[in-house]
Amino acid sequence: MVLEEEVQIPLDRQTVFNALNDPEILKQSIPGCEELNLIAENQMEALVVVKFGPMKASFNSEVGLDPSEGPERFKLSGKGDAGVAGFANGSADVRLDENEEGTLLAYTVNIDISGKLAQVGGRLIEGTSKRLAKKFFANFEEALLARQA
Amino acid sequence: MSATAESVQDRKAALKGLGTSRKRVEDARFTQGKGNYVDDIKLPGMLFGDFVRSQHAHARVKSIDTSKAMELPGVVAVLTAADLEPLNLHWMPTLAGDKQMVLADGKVLFQGQEVAFVVAEDRYIAADAVDLVKVDYEELPVLVDPFKAELSDAPILREDIKDETEGAHGARRHPNHIFTWEQGDQAATEAIMKEAPVVAEEMVYYHRTHPCPMETCGSVASMDKVNGKLTLWGTFQAPHVVRTVASLLSGIAEHNIRVVSPDIGGGFGNKVGVYPGYVCSIVASIVTGVPVKWVEDRMENLSATAFARDYHMNGKIAATEDGKILGLWCHTTADHGAFDACADPTKYPAGFMNICTGSYDIPTAYLAVDGIYTNKAPGGVAYRCSFRVTEAAYFIERMIEVLAIKLNMDAAELRAKNFIRKEQFPYQSALGWEYDSGDYHTAWNKALEAVDYKGLRAEQAQQVNDFKAGKTRKLMGIGLCHFTEIVGAGPVKNCDILGMGMFDSCEIRIHPTGSALARLGTISQGQGHATTFAQILATEIGISADEITIEEGDTDTAPYGLGTYGSRSTPVAGAATAMAGRKIRAKAQMIAAYLLEVHDNDIEWEVDRFVVKGAPERFKTMKEIAFASYNQAIPGVEPGLEAVSYYDPPNMTYPFGAYICVMDIDVDTGVSDVRKFYALDDCGTRINPMIIEGQVHGGLTEALAIAMGQEIAYDELGNVKTGTLMDFFIPTSWETPNYQTDFTETPSPHHPIGAKGVGESPNVGGVPAFSNAINDAFRAFGLTHTNMPHDHWRVWKTANDLGLHG
C-alpha cells in the first residue's frame, strides 16, 4: 500500500528537518507511541500501539533514519512486530520544499501489513494508515509549534 | 397376528420406505438444541488446547520461547515440534502420499500454520498463553503464484524433499513440483487440435474457496492410562480411517482406539482429512493423562484447514463447423499449497478430473494435471463434490460455451448435438470411465421447455437491442449447464485411501419384537442418514422405517467403512444396507417356510410378509418371523436375525442434471439478481424426495456462494485476505433466490436399488449455471470468458472493460 500526501508547516525547512530527527518530537508525533529510544545514530526502537477496528496491536518497532539528503529530503524505514497480531514493514520518503508560508512536506509512505491484522482488518488498514499518517503530521506540527512558543 | 383388511398399498405406505417424503428423524433433536457436537462433550478434568500459528507465509523459525506462557497460571503444557519429535509425531502423512508438519519443524510454509500447542485449564487461559509464546522468525521470499513456482528465482518451499525426484505420484521435475498426472491420448488429441476446422481455447480458473462448515473442526482425546485405551471424539467424515491412521501414527493397537464422530455440523469435505489439532490433542492427553479438547475458531478454519479447488485449467476444444465435437485437451495447474493434503483416492492425484469430457460424446481427449507447492494452506478437498468433479464440470461447461461463441451457435443446441445418446450407455469415455446410465436428451428437453428457453432468448435479444438504444441499463444472462457427476467411490480394484479399499458396510440386527437396529460405516453430517437408510431398509425387510434405528460414527460398534464424502454414502453404504437387508430376508424366508409348513420356494415376499403362493390368507409377517427366530428352535437355522454386508461397488454411479439460471444484471453497479433457477436432477431411484429437494436447495446455495463471491484470496505476501465471514461470502436468506426443482429418474443398472446419490450434484452443476449466466449476459458485447467469483465489483469491471459505461 502506498500513501501520498502533502502537508504545509509554517516553519522554515531546517527547523522542520531537525525536528524529524529529534526523538522527543517524534515520540510526541507518532500516534500511539508509548516508548521511543535512540539506540544508535539514526537507529531507534519504539513501542507503538495501533488500533485497527476491533483489534489493538502493540508493535515493537525498529526504525532507521536516513538524513543524508537533508534538509531537502528525509527518509526512514522500519519494521514492527506485533506478535500474534501480525507485523508491518514500511518506509517513508519525505521531500521538504521551502515556500512563502514555510515548508511543504510531501510524503510517500509504503507500508505492508501482514498476519492477523491483514486478515481481520484488511479492509480497515488503508483507512487507518491514512488517518495515522495525517495524525502524525498534525501532532508533529503541534509539537513543533509548542516548542517554538 | 391375523390377516387384516389392509391393502398392499396401505401396508406399503405404512413402511415409509423408498420414495416417501419422510420427515427427518434427526430434526427432533437439532431443532430443540439437543444435538451433541464435539464442543458439547465435557469430561471431568478436561483441558483445552490452542495453537500458536504463523503470521508469516514463509519464514524460518529460529527459536520458540515458551517460558512466559508456562508461567501463566493455569497453563499445563506448551508443545512444540521438539516435543513431538521423540514420538515421531512432528510430521504426519497426508491422504495424498505427502507428509505435513504437525508443528513447525524449522520453518513455516503458510500463514496460519501450526507452530506450538498450548494446553491449559480453560480455553481463555489457553488463548492468553498463545499470545505469550515468543517465536523468532526469519522471513523468506513468498511464493503465491503457482506459475512462478519453477522460475529460477523461486524460493524452494519444501526443503525436506527438495532433492527427491520421485513423489507419491511419479516424477517431480522441480522442488516446488508435486506430480504430473496424464490421462488420455496426447498425440491423437494434439493432432486433432492442429487439424480440426474449429478450435476454441480458453484459460478457465476455478478459484480457491473453502467448505466453511457451520461447525469448525475439533476433537476431544481421552487416554485412559489404566486400561490403555484411547477414545477420540472428533469432527470426522471418515471415523474408521481416522482410527487406522491414529493407530499407525501412535503405535497404539487399533483395538485400543475408539473413534467417535458425534453429530457433525456440516462437513462438505472439510472434515475428511487429518489435522494437526487432532494429533496434538491426542499427544497432549497422553502426556497429561487427562482429556484434552481442541476446537478451532472460524479464522483458523478458513485459513488453515482444508481449502477446495484452485485449479487453473487451460483448455482447447475442437469441432466441425456444424458443431460436432472432435476432441478436448486440458492442461491444469493445480495449486496445492504447502503440503499435498488432497483427499483423493490414492491412484487419483487429481481426483476424478478426468470426468472433464462431461455429458458429451467426445471421441478423443487428453488431460494433464501438474500439482504445485505454494505458500498457502494445504487441502484441495472435495467441497461438496466427488474429488474434483466440480472443477471438471465447470471446465467442460465453460468450454462448451466458449465453443458455441466461436461457432456462433446456440449453446443449448450445441449441447444437444453432442450429448451421449441414451442407447450408448454403458458409455466408455475417452478418459477412461464407464458411464452407467443416462438419458440426457430427455432431461435437457424437459428443462428447456420448463423455462421457455426460446422465449427467454427472444427476450434477451430484445433487451440487448434496448440496451444499445439506451432504453435500459440492465442485461440478462441465461446460464445453461448439463452436468454429469461421478460418485460412489468406489470399486476396491481402483479406489483406495491409504491402502484401504473404498467399500462400505452395514450391519443389521432385528430385535425379537420386530424392530431393528442398523449400523453403517458412514457418518451423517446433515444428510439425514438416520432417515433415508431406514427407508431403504424398510422397503427391503418390511419393517417400518419408524421402527429402525440407524447408528453411525462409533468405531467400537459400527462396521468398518470409509465414511461420508464424494456422495458415496447412498451408492456404497446404501447398497450395503440393501444387500444386508436381502440377507435378512433370505433367512426370514427359511423361517417363514418352516412356520407355514411349506417349501422355501412355495412362498413369496409381499411388502412386509412372506405369503404362500396361491394362498394369500396364509402368510407370516416379518415381525412374526423375527419373534420366531428368537423364541423357537428352527431346524437347520441359527437363532436370531442378523446380517452384515460389506459392499464393494462394481462401478461408480453417474448422476446428472440440467440446470438453467436466468440472471438480471445491472451494468452500472455490477449487482446481479437471479430471476429464475430451474434445477432438474436425475439421481436414479429417489429414496426421499423431500430430502433430495433439501439437498438441492443447500447445494445450489453453496454454488451461488462460490460463483458469486466466495473466495480464499491471498495477497502477494501470502496473507489470507478473506479469513473472516466479513470477507468470505456465505449467503443468507437475503441473497438466496427461489429454486424450482424437477427430476427425471434413470436408475443405476448396477446398484441394488438403482440409486445414484444426489447431495453434491447441485454444487457441481450450480456453479457453471450461475457463472455461465454472467458470461452469457455479456456475450453480445464480445465477452468470451471472465473468471469467477462474479462479485459486484468484478461484474462492474467486466462491463467497464467492455466499454459499457460510456
Side-chain angles (χ1 to χ4, degrees):
Chain A
M1 174 179 47
V2 180
L3 308 176
E4 287 183 325
E5 200 82 50
E6 288 182 348
V7 57
Q8 177 73 34
I9 294 183
L11 291 167
D12 67 277
R13 179 158 74 183
Q14 193 61 47
T15 305
V16 173
F17 179 77
N18 290 346
L20 284 171
N21 289 279
D22 181 338
E24 195 47 44
I25 294 277
L26 287 178
K27 186 178 173 183
Q28 291 174 47
S29 307
I30 298 169
C33 183
E34 298 193 342
E35 280 176 43
L36 188 137
N37 302 307
L38 201 61
I39 52 169
E41 195 187 354
N42 297 326
Q43 281 292 326
M44 290 185 283
E45 264 182 6
L47 178 67
V48 183
V49 179
V50 185
K51 258 194 107 193
F52 291 88
M55 292 190 68
K56 198 161 116 177
S58 301
F59 285 96
N60 281 308
S61 314
E62 286 172 29
V63 182
L65 309 181
D66 176 8
S68 61
E69 296 174 57
E72 291 85 13
R73 196 170 185 191
F74 174 83
K75 290 195 277 196
L76 67 80
S77 62
K79 59 181 180 179
D81 183 351
V84 291
F87 51 94
N89 282 304
S91 63
D93 185 347
V94 187
R95 287 161 311 282
L96 299 88
D97 286 315
E98 273 188 306
N99 57 27
E100 285 172 11
E101 285 97 49
T103 309
L104 182 71
L105 295 178
Y107 61 85
T108 305
V109 174
N110 270 291
I111 189 156
D112 286 323
I113 307 262
S114 282
K116 202 176 254 182
L117 279 172
Q119 289 185 320
V120 177
R123 60 177 71 213
L124 304 168
I125 286 174
E126 189 159 347
T128 305
S129 303
K130 275 190 179 151
R131 186 172 55 76
L132 293 178
K134 276 207 167 104
K135 186 109 196 302
F136 170 83
F137 285 102
N139 291 348
F140 179 73
E141 186 179 348
E142 196 181 311
L144 201 47
L145 293 174
R147 176 180 286 186
Q148 300 290 316
Chain B
M1 200 185 285
S2 61
T4 65
E6 282 179 312
S7 72
V8 167
Q9 281 312 316
D10 290 342
R11 285 193 276 122
K12 214 175 204 172
L15 292 181
K16 301 187 184 173
L18 290 183
T20 309
S21 283
R22 179 180 184 229
K23 291 259 170 67
R24 285 164 41 106
V25 296
E26 297 88 342
D27 289 344
R29 67 177 189 279
F30 292 152
T31 55
Q32 295 179 57
K34 300 288 186 194
N36 183 39
Y37 299 91
V38 168
D39 208 15
D40 293 321
I41 293 166
K42 294 178 176 68
L43 301 174
M46 188 170 71
L47 302 173
F48 293 80
D50 197 358
F51 279 113
V52 176
R53 291 180 181 273
S54 171
Q55 300 296 325
H56 297 273
H58 194 197
R60 219 168 282 295
V61 177
K62 286 154 70 182
S63 65
I64 302 173
D65 179 0
T66 62
S67 57
K68 283 228 168 57
M70 286 300 293
E71 285 166 17
L72 189 71
V75 172
V76 177
V78 182
L79 301 177
T80 65
D83 301 309
L84 300 185
E85 192 171 355
L87 305 167
N88 203 26
L89 286 174
H90 55 318
W91 288 73
M92 62 179 185
T94 70
L95 295 180
D98 195 0
K99 55 180 180 162
Q100 176 178 352
M101 288 183 218
V102 173
L103 291 171
D105 182 22
K107 74 187 291 195
V108 287
L109 288 159
F110 65 94
Q111 189 183 63
Q113 186 179 332
E114 300 81 0
V115 175
F117 190 67
V118 174
V119 184
E121 286 169 7
D122 68 44
R123 63 183 64 194
Y124 307 101
I125 295 171
D128 286 345
V130 163
D131 286 354
L132 296 174
V133 175
K134 173 84 186 140
V135 185
D136 192 11
Y137 295 102
E138 176 195 332
E139 286 178 64
L140 297 169
V142 175
L143 175 68
V144 290
D145 180 352
F147 292 97
K148 292 181 178 164
E150 294 168 62
L151 300 181
S152 59
D153 62 345
I156 291 171
L157 308 192
R158 293 289 300 278
E159 289 159 289
D160 57 304
I161 51 167
K162 69 179 187 331
D163 298 323
E164 288 177 23
T165 53
E166 280 289 315
H169 309 289
R172 299 170 67 222
R173 60 173 184 241
H174 185 277
N176 293 333
H177 176 250
I178 310 170
F179 62 83
T180 300
W181 190 58
E182 290 183 285
Q183 297 287 299
D185 188 337
Q186 181 177 13
T189 309
E190 288 177 356
I192 288 169
M193 294 303 149
K194 280 204 190 90
E195 293 151 16
V198 180
V199 178
E201 267 188 80
E202 193 54 66
M203 177 59 133
V204 177
Y205 178 45
Y206 198 140
H207 59 288
R208 180 175 281 234
T209 183
H210 194 282
C212 192
M214 197 186 296
E215 176 205 28
T216 60
C217 297
S219 57
V220 177
S222 179
M223 184 72 202
D224 184 331
K225 292 208 167 173
V226 176
N227 62 20
K229 183 143 185 169
L230 171 70
T231 306
L232 181 65
W233 292 264
T235 46
F236 308 131
Q237 289 182 236
H240 300 274
V241 180
V242 168
R243 185 185 70 191
T244 303
V245 172
S247 174
L248 292 171
L249 283 180
S250 67
I252 301 170
E254 203 165 351
H255 72 282
N256 271 334
I257 301 176
R258 176 184 171 212
V259 175
V260 184
S261 294
D263 283 330
I264 296 183
F268 311 114
N270 188 231
K271 292 167 180 168
V272 173
V274 172
Y275 296 121
Y278 303 156
V279 177
C280 288
S281 65
I282 294 172
V283 173
S285 181
I286 292 172
V287 169
T288 61
V290 292
V292 176
K293 177 188 278 187
W294 165 74
V295 175
E296 62 180 1
D297 66 25
R298 179 61 59 196
M299 278 184 72
E300 292 178 298
N301 178 252
L302 284 173
S303 56
T305 50
F307 76 94
R309 325 295 194 234
D310 216 346
Y311 261 33
H312 301 262
M313 301 172 286
N314 191 13
K316 292 179 202 171
I317 186 164
T320 60
E321 271 157 10
D322 62 352
K324 184 78 193 102
I325 299 172
L326 300 171
L328 181 73
W329 180 96
C330 178
H331 179 270
T332 294
T333 301
D335 186 338
H336 283 235
F339 307 98
D340 186 8
C342 288
D344 291 317
T346 306
K347 295 184 188 75
Y348 297 89
F352 302 155
M353 180 63 195
N354 55 332
I355 191 77
C356 64
T357 51
S359 309
Y360 310 101
D361 181 14
I362 301 179
T364 310
Y366 169 69
L367 165 72
V369 181
D370 277 309
I372 303 292
Y373 288 123
T374 59
N375 287 122
K376 299 178 191 169
V381 294
Y383 171 7
R384 202 172 187 147
C385 85
S386 181
F387 314 116
R388 306 291 187 182
V389 177
T390 39
E391 288 89 328
Y394 184 63
F395 170 73
I396 185 64
E397 289 302 297
R398 283 301 306 139
M399 290 310 293
I400 289 285
E401 295 280 320
V402 169
L403 178 61
I405 291 170
K406 185 107 182 178
L407 292 165
N408 195 25
M409 190 170 168
D410 180 87
E413 189 190 328
L414 177 61
R415 283 180 173 84
K417 190 171 189 121
N418 288 284
F419 281 146
I420 300 162
R421 295 185 314 278
K422 190 180 170 184
E423 63 274 15
Q424 285 177 283
F425 292 94
Y427 172 81
Q428 195 68 39
S429 82
L431 293 176
W433 297 113
E434 187 186 293
Y435 292 35
D436 60 350
S437 65
D439 183 356
Y440 299 164
H441 285 98
T442 300
W444 193 238
N445 292 335
K446 192 173 181 186
L448 296 179
E449 276 169 37
V451 300
D452 181 20
Y453 180 67
K454 279 188 182 148
L456 286 173
R457 283 293 178 205
E459 185 190 340
Q460 185 187 38
Q462 182 59 46
Q463 196 162 356
V464 167
N465 288 337
D466 288 351
F467 184 89
K468 286 177 175 166
K471 291 185 202 161
T472 178
R473 295 298 294 162
K474 291 207 167 179
L475 290 174
M476 174 184 163
I478 303 168
L480 303 175
C481 174
H482 190 288
F483 64 93
T484 296
E485 267 235 273
I486 170 170
V487 305
V492 173
K493 64 178 187 281
N494 56 4
C495 288
D496 72 278
I497 284 185
L498 295 178
M500 253 89 63
M502 295 180 74
F503 59 83
D504 225 292
S505 58
C506 177
E507 182 186 300
I508 302 169
R509 292 183 195 172
I510 312 293
H511 305 315
T513 53
S515 62
L517 168 68
R519 290 172 165 145
L520 290 88
T522 45
I523 176 70
S524 183
Q525 306 124 38
Q527 292 91 339
H529 289 179
T531 308
T532 52
F533 286 130
Q535 291 181 251
I536 294 175
L537 207 47
T539 295
E540 291 293 339
I541 64 174
I543 291 173
S544 167
D546 290 343
E547 295 179 285
I548 301 170
T549 297
I550 301 291
E551 275 188 12
E552 302 172 301
D554 184 336
T555 60
D556 264 10
T557 55
Y560 204 100
L562 271 276
T564 294
Y565 42 85
S567 278
R568 64 184 300 282
S569 297
T570 293
V572 191
T577 304
M579 297 311 270
R582 287 171 196 183
K583 287 184 187 176
I584 295 275
R585 218 163 75 188
K587 184 172 176 183
Q589 184 163 3
M590 289 191 273
I591 298 169
Y594 173 78
L595 296 174
L596 291 163
E597 298 178 333
V598 294
H599 190 269
D600 286 2
N601 293 338
D602 293 334
I603 55 175
E604 60 190 357
W605 178 250
E606 186 201 271
V607 184
D608 59 352
R609 62 193 60 181
F610 279 102
V611 179
V612 176
K613 288 177 188 170
E617 73 288 354
R618 294 190 63 210
F619 61 85
K620 288 288 170 188
T621 66
M622 187 55 101
K623 286 207 171 214
E624 291 169 317
I625 296 163
F627 198 62
S629 76
Y630 283 92
N631 78 350
Q632 69 186 91
I634 297 161
V637 178
E638 285 178 17
L641 196 50
E642 298 190 4
V644 184
S645 171
Y646 278 71
Y647 187 78
D648 176 10
N651 190 4
M652 313 281 186
T653 61
Y654 297 77
F656 60 94
Y659 289 0
I660 298 175
C661 172
V662 183
M663 191 100 77
D664 293 306
I665 294 163
D666 184 320
V667 173
D668 296 316
T669 62
V671 174
S672 51
D673 192 27
V674 177
R675 186 202 300 181
K676 181 193 271 290
F677 199 105
Y678 170 89
L680 179 151
D681 275 284
D682 191 321
C683 58
T685 302
R686 290 153 55 85
I687 299 165
N688 181 324
M690 179 198 74
I691 284 189
I692 292 171
E693 189 169 12
Q695 288 271 31
V696 172
H697 282 214
L700 286 176
T701 305
E702 279 181 334
L704 172 85
I706 295 166
M708 307 309 286
Q710 188 175 86
E711 178 183 23
I712 295 291
Y714 286 82
D715 67 13
E716 68 279 8
L717 300 169
N719 288 304
V720 180
K721 294 199 294 181
T722 51
T724 77
L725 296 186
M726 278 269 279
D727 300 289
F728 186 84
F729 176 41
I730 298 281
T732 63
S733 58
W734 179 257
E735 291 94 357
T736 305
N738 280 317
Y739 303 117
Q740 182 188 346
T741 60
D742 203 347
F743 68 98
T744 55
E745 199 161 341
T746 312
S748 169
H750 62 76
H751 187 278
I753 63 166
K756 289 187 170 185
V758 76
E760 302 169 331
S761 293
N763 193 321
V764 172
V767 170
F770 287 114
S771 181
N772 282 348
I774 294 285
N775 277 282
D776 180 70
F778 296 105
R779 177 175 169 173
F781 300 90
L783 181 72
T784 306
H785 171 80
T786 185
N787 281 326
M788 297 188 289
H790 306 296
D791 54 24
H792 301 165
W793 183 81
R794 285 186 175 95
V795 172
W796 178 90
K797 179 86 169 40
T798 298
N800 197 257
D801 290 348
L802 293 169
L804 302 186
H805 292 151

